[in-house]
Amino acid sequence: GNSVTQMEGPVTLSEEAFLTINCTYTATGYPSLFWYVQYPGEGLQLLLKATKADDKGSNKGFEATYRKETTSFHLEKGSVQVSDSAVYFCALSGPNTGNQFYFGTGTSLTVIP
Amino acid sequence: ETGVTQTPRHLVMGMTNKKSLKCEQHLGHNAMYWYKQSAKKPLELMFVYNFKEQTENNSVPSRFSPECPNSSHLFLHLHTLQPEDSALYLCASSPTSSGRAKDEQYFGPGTRLTVT
């Protein structure tokens, strides 16, 4: 079946620290992979995506590379800011998932000055 | 208004009440979705509508009743809910619900529902 597993939080970092949030997936076929971000009091926003193996999605200093061999899509940022404090969701969707998006449980990130 | 809006933002209801959640999208999309977000659990897809037709019902209890009168509006009618139904209910839209177009989902801010 299809599923997404991401690291449990919460994660607390100091400003300018390096961020990694791990995400691995199980899927049939070749899904697209996504990272969504949810700021307090808001809905989910698409942060970045990758649609095929070895693609790198990037946005706002965040990056994630679609690794088929390790079935992973880890989110990274070289230098986090206080404004990056939010909940981050890894997700997959694809031709074999019908109408479904499969989301992870979310990882809460707090960045302290 | 732009994007996806949801009203009310917060709702407290008793188990015998009937209430409705409203979602409106201003993006010209044809597919709309209801999700349930509970603490420590993945988002759960509840319903999908494509061109006003329901295309997905993920074994949702009948106390949740969706309605999609047109491609811009989506409602979730609630009656005789249970305390475990307390959650954040998110609405989303996408150009269509199939193919790559479904991958561009835009979410509303959600309605925080508390059932007492």
Side-chain angles (χ1 to χ4, degrees):
Chain A
N2 300 297
S3 67
V4 174
T5 303
Q6 62 183 103
M7 64 185 285
E8 291 201 18
V11 174
T12 302
L13 294 174
S14 296
E15 204 164 22
E16 299 183 1
F18 184 86
L19 169 71
T20 300
I21 301 178
N22 291 337
C23 172
T24 57
Y25 68 91
T26 302
T28 54
Y30 301 94
S32 296
L33 302 173
F34 305 84
W35 277 101
Y36 279 83
V37 58
Q38 185 177 32
Y39 298 104
E42 298 183 16
L44 276 68
Q45 302 174 28
L46 179 63
L47 179 60
L48 54 84
K49 69 177 183 180
T51 58
K52 61 182 188 294
D54 299 325
D55 267 2
K56 177 186 285 187
S58 61
N59 186 24
K60 300 181 180 179
F62 291 89
E63 293 182 340
T65 301
Y66 190 142
R67 301 284 188 202
K68 192 170 185 301
E69 64 275 16
T70 54
T71 61
S72 64
F73 193 55
H74 304 320
L75 182 68
E76 296 181 335
K77 187 174 185 182
S79 176
V80 294
Q81 305 300 311
V82 173
S83 57
D84 294 327
S85 298
V87 181
Y88 293 82
F89 294 87
C90 187
L92 72 82
S93 177
N96 296 324
T97 65
N99 290 316
Q100 295 269 15
F101 258 66
Y102 291 84
F103 286 88
T105 53
T107 302
S108 175
L109 169 66
T110 300
V111 180
I112 55 178
Chain B
E1 288 273 22
T2 58
V4 182
T5 58
Q6 292 187 241
T7 54
R9 295 293 307 275
H10 300 271
L11 178 62
V12 179
M13 60 186 289
M15 289 191 285
T16 58
N17 290 160
K18 290 184 180 181
K19 297 286 184 183
S20 295
L21 310 184
K22 179 182 176 183
C23 175
E24 184 172 1
Q25 59 94 2
H26 308 269
L27 300 167
H29 290 166
N30 294 302
M32 297 188 76
Y33 310 76
W34 280 117
Y35 287 88
K36 177 182 179 183
Q37 184 179 19
S38 303
K40 306 293 186 186
K41 295 174 69 174
L43 266 70
E44 301 172 46
L45 179 65
M46 301 175 71
F47 301 105
V48 181
Y49 278 82
N50 198 36
F51 291 94
K52 303 188 295 178
E53 298 295 322
Q54 187 178 124
T55 59
E56 193 89 25
N57 176 340
N58 270 2
S59 304
V60 180
S62 60
R63 57 185 184 270
F64 294 92
S65 174
E67 178 190 1
C68 188
N70 55 62
S71 293
S72 298
H73 294 86
L74 184 64
F75 295 90
L76 188 62
H77 304 299
L78 316 171
H79 64 98
T80 59
L81 294 191
Q82 305 298 311
E84 60 266 28
D85 296 322
S86 298
L88 181 68
Y89 288 85
L90 292 167
C91 175
S93 71
S94 64
T96 67
S97 66
S98 60
R100 291 297 185 195
K102 80 173 189 294
D103 293 347
E104 302 291 335
Q105 292 203 10
Y106 293 80
F107 285 79
T111 295
R112 174 68 62 185
L113 173 67
T114 304
V115 181
T116 60

